[in-house]
Amino acid sequence: MQAPSPTSPWFDFNSANDQIEAVHADLPDRKAPIKAQLLGSLEGYLHQLLPAGSKKHGRFVVGDTSGSKGQSLSVDLTGSKAGMWHDFATGEGGDVFDLFASVWGLNTHHDFGELLQRLEDWLGIAPVRSSDTKPTAPIVDELGAYSAKWDYLDADGQLLACVYRYDTEAGKEFRPWDVQSRKMKAPDIRPLYNLPEIVKSGRVILVEGEKCADALGSIGIAATTAMFGAKAPLDKTDWSPLKGKQVIIWPDHDEAGRVYAQKLLAALPSFGVASVTVLSIPAGKPEKWDAADAVAEGFDVPTLLEGDVRPAIPSFALEELIADKSPMPADLVAPRVMTPGSILVFGGAPKVGKSDFLLSWFIHLAAGEDFLGMSPSGALKIFYFQAEVQYHYLRERVQTLAVSSDLRARAGRNLILTPQLRLLLNSEGVEQLARAILSKFPDGPDIIAIDPIRNVFDGGSDGGGENDNAAMMFFLTERVERLAKLVNPDAAVILVHHTRKLPKKQLEEDPFQALSGASAMRGFYSSGLLLFRPDESRTERNLYFELRNGPALPYKLVDKLDGRWMELDKNSERLVNQDYGEKLDAERRRKHDVILQILFEEAKSGRVYTMNQFCQAFENSAGLGGETTIRRRLDVLSTKGYIKFFRDAEQYGIAQSARTKYGFMCVEDMRIAGEHDVVDPETGEVTSSVIPVLPSHYKCRSTAAALPVEDPQIWIYYEEGNP
């Protein structure tokens, strides 16, 4: 039977209330086609039902059945569980019918007939009756008979959609027909053309329009097009069948074709294509020349395809970037710590706790839980390739981690770890590791971690090490990127790397400069994390961030407390007191050094001091403070042995006397200028005479008494830990 025009409904459900009871008697017959239609375009229907939801990692997520924003409710989109859903906040769940019933406030047990009726109305499906026959594809009366028709099939040859061409007085027009909804519209998620053929081919030619794809197919070349060619919205097309394939874009020879090719160049790598290039149009070809024209004129197409192919260098005009309002890709780990296809370098010195930190982090990510303010988009699949810890010690470390049993259970299948492997990531090693990863995650992981890269590093035939920039760049491009392409180009890669020793001040100013091979690596990775212990006597670590794809993040102060990694408040009373104490210690050390230096320098000018004389002479000088403060510092220095005393000043040519308990102060290697110059008999060079000062007394630590020095040539200092 001929379908009505697109503006007319197939059936009027509001005019037949008396038919409802008869329709409800056929519930089993009506359920199957409704379910098939829902599952056939499930993602599109879910976006209509719950507009605040989004697709993440193969699932549709939303806050709840009322349509709130969030990720508590998850719906499987593919596979045998397509349509199954679960709300982790409430524990509710079920199949696709239960979901629609919950959103619409119905009960599948008591209101199933009403649910089917509403679904039929919502989907535009006629209730099944014996007199009905399945509508055929429409013929649009006002446009006349179609001049061409192309069928879009799935990989198994089942019809998904049709595109009709009409040649009108105003020009050619194209109208799509969606088989699932039986409506004159494009499917919500549009398939590629010629799927049964392109899924079998390693190389696919991407053209503009079905006519060009058919022309290439007629000479044995696998080709496809998006529905509507250059006008196809990229975000509504399912590009996944091109994953792992070599794609050659053959644009029409016009401005629209060139713009479309540039957009494809930028978009297709994110869908996992092995390579994407643009065909160079032969010189002298007319405007709008395309693949169908090439076949029609007998052009040597195979030679053209094997010849000059332009490299994939996408470029965009400023106005294009400003006009593009498409949503940003979802972060794998927010905020912008890991994005799809990114490379993160995690660095730190030996024994700073990198592996323990990573294990705790990965368990949280695999369970879909936040960790130190870093939020995963869901429960992430992680393959942790580590080359340091043997199996039994890895097992022991994992079992002793202080994480809850619930967290372990949720992460259990999502985190795969290797024991210590002696595997070099050369060409063969990359393929071997890729096979191991895909055996655990057939659809590919979300994160691949390599710990540490120094144990698996391959710098190429020149044999360069990890500190060689050329070797490091070879490893990153030919080994790390290739591994990601083999298992999942959208996966984030974490490279665990050691840091070189840098001065503390320089490390704090630019911590990522400490990464070995930094100049090559820092120009390559997307984000970096660095774990650094600023004080070896304390357990706190600084966690630094460097993000190329997002705004700067302040460093975090973290520590492992009771077996769990926690973020500390930088302004907490304990830490503030520690910092304040350190500042006081530093100031005391400064004053000690200044006092000793003054005594040393003054003696060279022939001036020496008792304690009282020094306090009076240098009060409020050189930052030493008042007389009382200086006296305290002198008491400490003399008690610790840094200052000793001599009483006979005349033997050093000093006509100076004073009443003092201890005598004049002296320090190690102190020398007093003599009265006479010394003349070298051979050279005649005149130098000032200096006399070494040797102590005669020291201050007793126990009684503060002035006691004679046993050996004035030996200086003993009494610091903490030195009895």
mmCIF file of all heavy atoms in Angstrom, residues 211-255:
data_model
loop_
_atom_site.group_PDB
_atom_site.id
_atom_site.type_symbol
_atom_site.label_atom_id
_atom_site.label_comp_id
_atom_site.label_asym_id
_atom_site.label_seq_id
_atom_site.Cartn_x
_atom_site.Cartn_y
_atom_site.Cartn_z
ATOM 1 N N LYS A 211 26.328 7.663 -5.303
ATOM 2 C CA LYS A 211 26.659 7.448 -6.718
ATOM 3 C C LYS A 211 28.150 7.191 -6.891
ATOM 4 O O LYS A 211 28.561 6.284 -7.621
ATOM 5 C CB LYS A 211 26.224 8.660 -7.534
ATOM 6 C CG LYS A 211 26.536 8.570 -9.017
ATOM 7 C CD LYS A 211 26.087 9.836 -9.734
ATOM 8 C CE LYS A 211 26.478 9.796 -11.221
ATOM 9 N NZ LYS A 211 26.102 11.059 -11.914
ATOM 10 N N CYS A 212 28.989 7.969 -6.210
ATOM 11 C CA CYS A 212 30.439 7.793 -6.299
ATOM 12 C C CYS A 212 30.870 6.471 -5.661
ATOM 13 O O CYS A 212 31.746 5.767 -6.178
ATOM 14 C CB CYS A 212 31.148 8.956 -5.621
ATOM 15 S SG CYS A 212 30.976 10.531 -6.491
ATOM 16 N N ALA A 213 30.259 6.118 -4.523
ATOM 17 C CA ALA A 213 30.607 4.860 -3.868
ATOM 18 C C ALA A 213 30.261 3.676 -4.756
ATOM 19 O O ALA A 213 31.038 2.720 -4.881
ATOM 20 C CB ALA A 213 29.890 4.762 -2.524
ATOM 21 N N ASP A 214 29.081 3.713 -5.395
ATOM 22 C CA ASP A 214 28.690 2.626 -6.296
ATOM 23 C C ASP A 214 29.623 2.544 -7.498
ATOM 24 O O ASP A 214 29.954 1.443 -7.969
ATOM 25 C CB ASP A 214 27.249 2.828 -6.762
ATOM 26 C CG ASP A 214 26.231 2.527 -5.669
ATOM 27 O OD1 ASP A 214 26.626 1.889 -4.670
ATOM 28 O OD2 ASP A 214 25.067 2.926 -5.818
ATOM 29 N N ALA A 215 30.052 3.711 -8.009
ATOM 30 C CA ALA A 215 30.946 3.708 -9.167
ATOM 31 C C ALA A 215 32.260 3.016 -8.831
ATOM 32 O O ALA A 215 32.763 2.188 -9.613
ATOM 33 C CB ALA A 215 31.198 5.141 -9.629
ATOM 34 N N LEU A 216 32.826 3.326 -7.679
ATOM 35 C CA LEU A 216 34.069 2.665 -7.281
ATOM 36 C C LEU A 216 33.831 1.186 -6.990
ATOM 37 O O LEU A 216 34.671 0.334 -7.309
ATOM 38 C CB LEU A 216 34.660 3.354 -6.047
ATOM 39 C CG LEU A 216 35.185 4.779 -6.261
ATOM 40 C CD1 LEU A 216 35.693 5.361 -4.948
ATOM 41 C CD2 LEU A 216 36.296 4.809 -7.302
ATOM 42 N N GLY A 217 32.688 0.871 -6.400
ATOM 43 C CA GLY A 217 32.368 -0.525 -6.145
ATOM 44 C C GLY A 217 32.266 -1.341 -7.419
ATOM 45 O O GLY A 217 32.587 -2.535 -7.432
ATOM 46 N N SER A 218 31.837 -0.701 -8.514
ATOM 47 C CA SER A 218 31.694 -1.427 -9.789
ATOM 48 C C SER A 218 33.028 -1.884 -10.356
ATOM 49 O O SER A 218 33.076 -2.771 -11.200
ATOM 50 C CB SER A 218 30.971 -0.535 -10.813
ATOM 51 O OG SER A 218 31.799 0.564 -11.190
ATOM 52 N N ILE A 219 34.150 -1.267 -9.896
ATOM 53 C CA ILE A 219 35.481 -1.702 -10.367
ATOM 54 C C ILE A 219 36.264 -2.369 -9.231
ATOM 55 O O ILE A 219 37.494 -2.434 -9.260
ATOM 56 C CB ILE A 219 36.282 -0.513 -10.953
ATOM 57 C CG1 ILE A 219 36.447 0.609 -9.927
ATOM 58 C CG2 ILE A 219 35.593 0.025 -12.196
ATOM 59 C CD1 ILE A 219 37.350 1.739 -10.411
ATOM 60 N N GLY A 220 35.523 -2.851 -8.220
ATOM 61 C CA GLY A 220 36.136 -3.658 -7.168
ATOM 62 C C GLY A 220 36.832 -2.899 -6.062
ATOM 63 O O GLY A 220 37.693 -3.450 -5.383
ATOM 64 N N ILE A 221 36.483 -1.636 -5.860
ATOM 65 C CA ILE A 221 37.127 -0.828 -4.823
ATOM 66 C C ILE A 221 36.108 -0.535 -3.726
ATOM 67 O O ILE A 221 35.023 -0.007 -4.008
ATOM 68 C CB ILE A 221 37.673 0.485 -5.403
ATOM 69 C CG1 ILE A 221 38.769 0.183 -6.439
ATOM 70 C CG2 ILE A 221 38.214 1.386 -4.299
ATOM 71 C CD1 ILE A 221 39.264 1.395 -7.171
ATOM 72 N N ALA A 222 36.432 -0.904 -2.481
ATOM 73 C CA ALA A 222 35.521 -0.688 -1.354
ATOM 74 C C ALA A 222 35.416 0.794 -1.055
ATOM 75 O O ALA A 222 36.417 1.460 -0.775
ATOM 76 C CB ALA A 222 36.011 -1.439 -0.120
ATOM 77 N N ALA A 223 34.209 1.319 -1.136
ATOM 78 C CA ALA A 223 33.994 2.749 -0.915
ATOM 79 C C ALA A 223 32.727 2.950 -0.111
ATOM 80 O O ALA A 223 31.822 2.112 -0.105
ATOM 81 C CB ALA A 223 33.906 3.493 -2.243
ATOM 82 N N THR A 224 32.656 4.086 0.574
ATOM 83 C CA THR A 224 31.488 4.408 1.376
ATOM 84 C C THR A 224 31.268 5.911 1.367
ATOM 85 O O THR A 224 32.101 6.681 0.891
ATOM 86 C CB THR A 224 31.672 3.914 2.832
ATOM 87 O OG1 THR A 224 30.445 4.071 3.543
ATOM 88 C CG2 THR A 224 32.748 4.708 3.552
ATOM 89 N N THR A 225 30.136 6.319 1.908
ATOM 90 C CA THR A 225 29.823 7.727 2.075
ATOM 91 C C THR A 225 28.949 7.884 3.301
ATOM 92 O O THR A 225 28.258 6.937 3.711
ATOM 93 C CB THR A 225 29.100 8.302 0.844
ATOM 94 O OG1 THR A 225 28.853 9.697 1.040
ATOM 95 C CG2 THR A 225 27.753 7.612 0.633
ATOM 96 N N ALA A 226 28.983 9.058 3.879
ATOM 97 C CA ALA A 226 28.022 9.386 4.923
ATOM 98 C C ALA A 226 26.732 9.842 4.260
ATOM 99 O O ALA A 226 26.735 10.353 3.140
ATOM 100 C CB ALA A 226 28.576 10.484 5.823
ATOM 101 N N MET A 227 25.630 9.625 4.937
ATOM 102 C CA MET A 227 24.349 10.040 4.384
ATOM 103 C C MET A 227 24.328 11.552 4.172
ATOM 104 O O MET A 227 24.629 12.309 5.089
ATOM 105 C CB MET A 227 23.214 9.605 5.329
ATOM 106 C CG MET A 227 21.824 9.669 4.717
ATOM 107 S SD MET A 227 20.542 9.037 5.853
ATOM 108 C CE MET A 227 20.922 7.299 5.864
ATOM 109 N N PHE A 228 24.053 11.990 2.951
ATOM 110 C CA PHE A 228 24.042 13.396 2.522
ATOM 111 C C PHE A 228 25.434 13.940 2.200
ATOM 112 O O PHE A 228 25.611 15.134 2.023
ATOM 113 C CB PHE A 228 23.353 14.318 3.533
ATOM 114 C CG PHE A 228 21.939 13.933 3.831
ATOM 115 C CD1 PHE A 228 21.521 13.760 5.136
ATOM 116 C CD2 PHE A 228 21.024 13.724 2.813
ATOM 117 C CE1 PHE A 228 20.219 13.389 5.426
ATOM 118 C CE2 PHE A 228 19.721 13.362 3.094
ATOM 119 C CZ PHE A 228 19.319 13.186 4.391
ATOM 120 N N GLY A 229 26.443 13.064 2.110
ATOM 121 C CA GLY A 229 27.749 13.472 1.619
ATOM 122 C C GLY A 229 28.382 14.597 2.411
ATOM 123 O O GLY A 229 28.499 14.535 3.639
ATOM 124 N N ALA A 230 28.801 15.649 1.697
ATOM 125 C CA ALA A 230 29.509 16.754 2.341
ATOM 126 C C ALA A 230 28.635 17.510 3.325
ATOM 127 O O ALA A 230 29.144 18.247 4.167
ATOM 128 C CB ALA A 230 30.044 17.716 1.279
ATOM 129 N N LYS A 231 27.317 17.357 3.235
ATOM 130 C CA LYS A 231 26.412 18.039 4.159
ATOM 131 C C LYS A 231 26.103 17.192 5.390
ATOM 132 O O LYS A 231 25.300 17.592 6.232
ATOM 133 C CB LYS A 231 25.110 18.394 3.440
ATOM 134 C CG LYS A 231 25.294 19.388 2.291
ATOM 135 C CD LYS A 231 23.970 19.710 1.624
ATOM 136 C CE LYS A 231 24.141 20.701 0.467
ATOM 137 N NZ LYS A 231 22.859 21.012 -0.196
ATOM 138 N N ALA A 232 26.712 16.018 5.481
ATOM 139 C CA ALA A 232 26.422 15.116 6.599
ATOM 140 C C ALA A 232 26.940 15.698 7.908
ATOM 141 O O ALA A 232 28.099 16.107 7.985
ATOM 142 C CB ALA A 232 27.068 13.760 6.351
ATOM 143 N N PRO A 233 26.105 15.762 8.942
ATOM 144 C CA PRO A 233 26.610 16.179 10.263
ATOM 145 C C PRO A 233 27.499 15.091 10.850
ATOM 146 O O PRO A 233 27.074 13.945 11.003
ATOM 147 C CB PRO A 233 25.334 16.383 11.088
ATOM 148 C CG PRO A 233 24.290 15.555 10.401
ATOM 149 C CD PRO A 233 24.661 15.493 8.951
ATOM 150 N N LEU A 234 28.735 15.439 11.157
ATOM 151 C CA LEU A 234 29.700 14.425 11.603
ATOM 152 C C LEU A 234 29.262 13.755 12.897
ATOM 153 O O LEU A 234 29.499 12.559 13.091
ATOM 154 C CB LEU A 234 31.071 15.077 11.796
ATOM 155 C CG LEU A 234 31.690 15.737 10.557
ATOM 156 C CD1 LEU A 234 33.089 16.233 10.883
ATOM 157 C CD2 LEU A 234 31.740 14.769 9.381
ATOM 158 N N ASP A 235 28.624 14.504 13.804
ATOM 159 C CA ASP A 235 28.274 13.939 15.097
ATOM 160 C C ASP A 235 27.062 13.018 15.048
ATOM 161 O O ASP A 235 26.776 12.338 16.034
ATOM 162 C CB ASP A 235 28.040 15.055 16.118
ATOM 163 C CG ASP A 235 26.931 16.010 15.695
ATOM 164 O OD1 ASP A 235 26.647 16.082 14.488
ATOM 165 O OD2 ASP A 235 26.355 16.681 16.567
ATOM 166 N N LYS A 236 26.342 12.981 13.926
ATOM 167 C CA LYS A 236 25.181 12.093 13.822
ATOM 168 C C LYS A 236 25.464 10.865 12.962
ATOM 169 O O LYS A 236 24.557 10.093 12.664
ATOM 170 C CB LYS A 236 23.990 12.861 13.244
ATOM 171 C CG LYS A 236 23.446 13.936 14.190
ATOM 172 C CD LYS A 236 22.173 14.561 13.643
ATOM 173 C CE LYS A 236 21.612 15.584 14.626
ATOM 174 N NZ LYS A 236 20.355 16.190 14.130
ATOM 175 N N THR A 237 26.716 10.699 12.539
ATOM 176 C CA THR A 237 27.101 9.558 11.710
ATOM 177 C C THR A 237 27.893 8.563 12.539
ATOM 178 O O THR A 237 28.746 8.959 13.336
ATOM 179 C CB THR A 237 27.947 10.029 10.512
ATOM 180 O OG1 THR A 237 27.190 10.961 9.743
ATOM 181 C CG2 THR A 237 28.349 8.860 9.632
ATOM 182 N N ASP A 238 27.590 7.282 12.363
ATOM 183 C CA ASP A 238 28.328 6.227 13.061
ATOM 184 C C ASP A 238 29.575 5.886 12.245
ATOM 185 O O ASP A 238 29.510 5.165 11.254
ATOM 186 C CB ASP A 238 27.436 5.000 13.232
ATOM 187 C CG ASP A 238 28.155 3.862 13.947
ATOM 188 O OD1 ASP A 238 29.265 4.105 14.479
ATOM 189 O OD2 ASP A 238 27.630 2.732 13.967
ATOM 190 N N TRP A 239 30.730 6.415 12.684
ATOM 191 C CA TRP A 239 31.997 6.191 11.980
ATOM 192 C C TRP A 239 32.737 4.960 12.494
ATOM 193 O O TRP A 239 33.825 4.645 11.995
ATOM 194 C CB TRP A 239 32.904 7.421 12.137
ATOM 195 C CG TRP A 239 32.313 8.688 11.622
ATOM 196 C CD1 TRP A 239 31.721 9.674 12.349
ATOM 197 C CD2 TRP A 239 32.250 9.126 10.256
ATOM 198 N NE1 TRP A 239 31.289 10.693 11.539
ATOM 199 C CE2 TRP A 239 31.605 10.389 10.238
ATOM 200 C CE3 TRP A 239 32.668 8.580 9.037
ATOM 201 C CZ2 TRP A 239 31.373 11.111 9.078
ATOM 202 C CZ3 TRP A 239 32.449 9.298 7.875
ATOM 203 C CH2 TRP A 239 31.808 10.535 7.891
ATOM 204 N N SER A 240 32.200 4.279 13.487
ATOM 205 C CA SER A 240 32.930 3.177 14.115
ATOM 206 C C SER A 240 33.331 2.061 13.154
ATOM 207 O O SER A 240 34.353 1.404 13.384
ATOM 208 C CB SER A 240 32.119 2.604 15.280
ATOM 209 O OG SER A 240 30.874 2.086 14.835
ATOM 210 N N PRO A 241 32.581 1.774 12.044
ATOM 211 C CA PRO A 241 33.049 0.712 11.136
ATOM 212 C C PRO A 241 34.393 1.000 10.476
ATOM 213 O O PRO A 241 34.999 0.101 9.900
ATOM 214 C CB PRO A 241 31.930 0.635 10.083
ATOM 215 C CG PRO A 241 30.707 1.119 10.793
ATOM 216 C CD PRO A 241 31.217 2.210 11.694
ATOM 217 N N LEU A 242 34.878 2.243 10.563
ATOM 218 C CA LEU A 242 36.170 2.586 9.960
ATOM 219 C C LEU A 242 37.331 2.360 10.924
ATOM 220 O O LEU A 242 38.493 2.568 10.542
ATOM 221 C CB LEU A 242 36.173 4.042 9.504
ATOM 222 C CG LEU A 242 35.136 4.430 8.449
ATOM 223 C CD1 LEU A 242 35.273 5.903 8.094
ATOM 224 C CD2 LEU A 242 35.270 3.565 7.201
ATOM 225 N N LYS A 243 37.068 1.926 12.136
ATOM 226 C CA LYS A 243 38.127 1.722 13.119
ATOM 227 C C LYS A 243 39.145 0.707 12.608
ATOM 228 O O LYS A 243 38.792 -0.369 12.129
ATOM 229 C CB LYS A 243 37.527 1.235 14.444
ATOM 230 C CG LYS A 243 38.564 1.024 15.541
ATOM 231 C CD LYS A 243 37.913 0.585 16.847
ATOM 232 C CE LYS A 243 38.962 0.381 17.927
ATOM 233 N NZ LYS A 243 38.359 -0.026 19.223
ATOM 234 N N GLY A 244 40.421 1.070 12.716
ATOM 235 C CA GLY A 244 41.495 0.171 12.307
ATOM 236 C C GLY A 244 41.743 0.107 10.816
ATOM 237 O O GLY A 244 42.579 -0.685 10.362
ATOM 238 N N LYS A 245 41.066 0.914 10.027
ATOM 239 C CA LYS A 245 41.194 0.848 8.567
ATOM 240 C C LYS A 245 41.994 2.040 8.031
ATOM 241 O O LYS A 245 42.060 3.091 8.662
ATOM 242 C CB LYS A 245 39.815 0.802 7.907
ATOM 243 C CG LYS A 245 38.969 -0.392 8.347
ATOM 244 C CD LYS A 245 37.659 -0.452 7.605
ATOM 245 C CE LYS A 245 36.799 -1.602 8.120
ATOM 246 N NZ LYS A 245 37.431 -2.918 7.911
ATOM 247 N N GLN A 246 42.575 1.820 6.856
ATOM 248 C CA GLN A 246 43.209 2.911 6.128
ATOM 249 C C GLN A 246 42.128 3.617 5.318
ATOM 250 O O GLN A 246 41.466 2.998 4.485
ATOM 251 C CB GLN A 246 44.301 2.375 5.205
ATOM 252 C CG GLN A 246 45.454 1.714 5.934
ATOM 253 C CD GLN A 246 46.475 1.139 4.969
ATOM 254 O OE1 GLN A 246 46.187 0.892 3.798
ATOM 255 N NE2 GLN A 246 47.682 0.930 5.456
ATOM 256 N N VAL A 247 41.952 4.905 5.578
ATOM 257 C CA VAL A 247 40.885 5.663 4.931
ATOM 258 C C VAL A 247 41.504 6.693 3.995
ATOM 259 O O VAL A 247 42.396 7.452 4.397
ATOM 260 C CB VAL A 247 39.988 6.359 5.975
ATOM 261 C CG1 VAL A 247 38.911 7.196 5.290
ATOM 262 C CG2 VAL A 247 39.343 5.324 6.897
ATOM 263 N N ILE A 248 41.046 6.689 2.755
ATOM 264 C CA ILE A 248 41.442 7.712 1.787
ATOM 265 C C ILE A 248 40.206 8.539 1.458
ATOM 266 O O ILE A 248 39.192 8.009 0.997
ATOM 267 C CB ILE A 248 42.024 7.091 0.505
ATOM 268 C CG1 ILE A 248 43.289 6.293 0.826
ATOM 269 C CG2 ILE A 248 42.330 8.179 -0.526
ATOM 270 C CD1 ILE A 248 43.876 5.584 -0.383
ATOM 271 N N ILE A 249 40.270 9.825 1.709
ATOM 272 C CA ILE A 249 39.153 10.728 1.424
ATOM 273 C C ILE A 249 39.268 11.195 -0.029
ATOM 274 O O ILE A 249 40.293 11.746 -0.424
ATOM 275 C CB ILE A 249 39.162 11.930 2.377
ATOM 276 C CG1 ILE A 249 39.099 11.454 3.841
ATOM 277 C CG2 ILE A 249 38.005 12.874 2.083
ATOM 278 C CD1 ILE A 249 39.364 12.551 4.849
ATOM 279 N N TRP A 250 38.207 10.966 -0.798
ATOM 280 C CA TRP A 250 38.161 11.439 -2.187
ATOM 281 C C TRP A 250 37.102 12.534 -2.252
ATOM 282 O O TRP A 250 35.917 12.258 -2.425
ATOM 283 C CB TRP A 250 37.818 10.297 -3.131
ATOM 284 C CG TRP A 250 37.926 10.659 -4.592
ATOM 285 C CD1 TRP A 250 37.712 11.862 -5.164
ATOM 286 C CD2 TRP A 250 38.266 9.768 -5.668
ATOM 287 N NE1 TRP A 250 37.901 11.806 -6.505
ATOM 288 C CE2 TRP A 250 38.242 10.518 -6.849
ATOM 289 C CE3 TRP A 250 38.573 8.416 -5.750
ATOM 290 C CZ2 TRP A 250 38.508 9.968 -8.105
ATOM 291 C CZ3 TRP A 250 38.851 7.863 -6.980
ATOM 292 C CH2 TRP A 250 38.819 8.630 -8.159
ATOM 293 N N PRO A 251 37.496 13.790 -2.104
ATOM 294 C CA PRO A 251 36.492 14.863 -2.106
ATOM 295 C C PRO A 251 36.093 15.246 -3.525
ATOM 296 O O PRO A 251 36.837 15.019 -4.484
ATOM 297 C CB PRO A 251 37.234 16.014 -1.425
ATOM 298 C CG PRO A 251 38.664 15.800 -1.807
ATOM 299 C CD PRO A 251 38.858 14.308 -1.894
ATOM 300 N N ASP A 252 34.914 15.805 -3.670
ATOM 301 C CA ASP A 252 34.558 16.430 -4.945
ATOM 302 C C ASP A 252 35.500 17.607 -5.191
ATOM 303 O O ASP A 252 35.978 18.245 -4.243
ATOM 304 C CB ASP A 252 33.107 16.922 -4.906
ATOM 305 C CG ASP A 252 32.114 15.763 -4.924
ATOM 306 O OD1 ASP A 252 32.559 14.601 -4.999
ATOM 307 O OD2 ASP A 252 30.897 16.030 -4.841
ATOM 308 N N HIS A 253 35.719 17.897 -6.479
ATOM 309 C CA HIS A 253 36.682 18.941 -6.830
ATOM 310 C C HIS A 253 36.007 20.317 -6.793
ATOM 311 O O HIS A 253 35.774 20.957 -7.821
ATOM 312 C CB HIS A 253 37.255 18.653 -8.225
ATOM 313 C CG HIS A 253 38.405 19.533 -8.612
ATOM 314 N ND1 HIS A 253 39.317 20.011 -7.709
ATOM 315 C CD2 HIS A 253 38.795 20.033 -9.824
ATOM 316 C CE1 HIS A 253 40.211 20.743 -8.325
ATOM 317 N NE2 HIS A 253 39.919 20.785 -9.611
ATOM 318 N N ASP A 254 35.666 20.753 -5.567
ATOM 319 C CA ASP A 254 35.076 22.082 -5.376
ATOM 320 C C ASP A 254 35.356 22.526 -3.951
ATOM 321 O O ASP A 254 35.940 21.787 -3.144
ATOM 322 C CB ASP A 254 33.569 22.078 -5.675
ATOM 323 C CG ASP A 254 32.805 21.035 -4.871
ATOM 324 O OD1 ASP A 254 33.313 20.603 -3.805
ATOM 325 O OD2 ASP A 254 31.707 20.648 -5.301
ATOM 326 N N GLU A 255 34.937 23.748 -3.639
ATOM 327 C CA GLU A 255 35.247 24.299 -2.320
ATOM 328 C C GLU A 255 34.559 23.519 -1.209
ATOM 329 O O GLU A 255 35.148 23.273 -0.152
ATOM 330 C CB GLU A 255 34.821 25.769 -2.267
ATOM 331 C CG GLU A 255 35.151 26.473 -0.943
ATOM 332 C CD GLU A 255 36.641 26.475 -0.623
ATOM 333 O OE1 GLU A 255 37.452 26.414 -1.586
ATOM 334 O OE2 GLU A 255 36.995 26.530 0.569
#
